Amino acid sequence: MQAILRTLRLLVLGATLFVPAFAVTTVGAGAANAGSVYAIEFAPGSDHTSVDGAVIRGDADTYAFEARAGQSLTLELTSVEGNARFTTSGPDGRVLCAEETWSRITLPKSGYYTISVEPSRGNATYTLSVRIV
């Protein structure tokens, strides 16, 4: 519940992330719904998680998580159709990587980060793996 409240606070306070109608869920409980914002949470004692989702052409699934400056973020995206890509943005909205399927980033600031997953063509069924150390 705390993660959902933090995500709601992020959505309300972050002008670039505010969406009048949105859904927030915890990740890991099933497939994502296109166009929604999801909080990424890790099991206690774990530094990684993965989510399965599906997104239609012209739409994106967005994931939000909180991290500290200096942490290492590793992302890997696989898709059944071979056409999903992600874009990662920092707390200030700056794009850290765009249209990638794999990335390792040293996070520059503490705060909320977002990962947007979208298809490069057609629809995409995907698995997004996230590790923060």
Side-chain angles (χ1 to χ4, degrees):
M1 185 64 168
Q2 288 178 337
I4 292 171
L5 293 175
R6 281 189 302 240
T7 303
L8 289 173
R9 188 169 49 245
L10 165 71
L11 292 169
V12 172
L13 296 176
T16 60
L17 297 177
F18 180 74
V19 180
F22 61 91
V24 177
T25 67
T26 56
V27 173
N33 293 319
S36 299
V37 177
Y38 298 90
I40 291 184
E41 294 183 340
F42 300 91
S46 179
D47 64 359
H48 64 280
T49 191
S50 63
V51 294
D52 297 319
V55 65
I56 60 173
R57 180 176 52 187
D59 210 343
D61 286 344
T62 302
Y63 299 91
F65 63 94
E66 188 174 17
R68 294 183 313 273
Q71 287 186 296
S72 177
L73 170 67
T74 303
L75 301 169
E76 183 175 2
L77 183 67
T78 56
S79 62
V80 173
E81 303 84 3
N83 66 338
R85 304 289 182 264
F86 65 80
T87 298
T88 305
S89 298
D92 58 1
R94 191 181 99 196
V95 173
L96 303 174
C97 66
E99 298 185 18
E100 300 288 341
T101 58
W102 186 92
S103 182
R104 180 171 292 142
I105 304 165
T106 299
L107 301 176
K109 297 181 177 191
S110 295
Y112 288 95
Y113 287 80
T114 59
I115 306 164
S116 294
V117 177
E118 58 188 63
S120 58
R121 65 185 188 291
N123 302 333
T125 306
Y126 64 86
T127 298
L128 174 64
S129 297
V130 181
R131 178 179 297 270
I132 301 176
V133 291

